[in-house]
Amino acid sequence: YQFTQFGWTHITLLMVVATASCMIKNMYDGMIWFFVPVCLVIWNDVYAYVFGRFWGKTPLIKLSPKKTWEGFIGAFITTVIFALWAGMLMSTFDYMICSQEELTVQPFPELHCKYDPVFIASVPVKIPAWLKPLNACLPEQYQLGDAMMFMPFVWHAINMAMFASLIAPFGGFFASGFKRAFRIKDFGDLIPGHGGITDRMDCQIIMSVFVAVYRATFIHSPKQLSVARILSQVDMLSEHDKRELLHRLQAALS
């Protein structure tokens, strides 16, 4: 019994600490890497319910009897569309795309930074001919040309949307199987009819880890040096090294 509890304790700590560290890293690298994935999971969950509620007929998996293929596919399509809109909208705010250098109690600090190449419109996309008739309904400033420039983040948002639609729901399926194994309906009862916080965060756990790994693997953003970042490194130096650094700075500036 003791070893069973010991094992469950370590698994719980691993899941909580690992996923929390990924979430925190995503937030420090830019709030957009936290908010967009969270919104994608919520959007997918809501529209899976909507499509399943009105058009669902084919069961998806036995662990979650209410999940349907119609809801799964409908949520996938709408989540990808939402990712396009959310990616373009949130990337217009410095607060979303600028990395956070240090902890602060200020709720909405005024952030300004040199834009990461991921957030600069540099990818040309050819406009299909069948969309050109829309120009008759659009104002002059929004007329569609032969091509449009998109920022790379939009494509990353689409990749995150596909993961949120195709893979992240299996976090919920795993949680459902876990609850069935212990013969419980929900992990908590904070939200009547919807369980507790853990019941709402099952897909977010997988999503946060994916975003952290995805960024580290496919998005090589150069580290932007700043005074705050340099000072944080200086604070870790010994007194002797600080004096040597001071002398070298004085020599370089003289």
Side-chain angles (χ1 to χ4, degrees), residues 7 16 20 134 173 244:
V16 173
L134 291 176
F173 302 152
E244 183 179 353

Side-chain angles (χ1 to χ4, degrees), residues 5 17 27 39 41 44 59 73-74 96 111 143 150 193 209 216 227:
Q5 297 302 312
V17 174
M27 286 189 282
C39 292
V41 171
N44 183 263
I73 296 172
M96 286 290 178
L111 296 177
Q143 292 287 306
F150 282 86
V209 175
V227 175

Side-chain angles (χ1 to χ4, degrees), residues 95 104-109:
Y95 176 75
T104 175
V105 295
Q106 186 178 355
F108 295 100

Side-chain angles (χ1 to χ4, degrees), residues 63-75:
L63 286 175
S64 295
K66 295 182 180 180
K67 304 286 186 181
T68 63
W69 275 105
E70 291 79 5
F72 187 76
I73 296 172

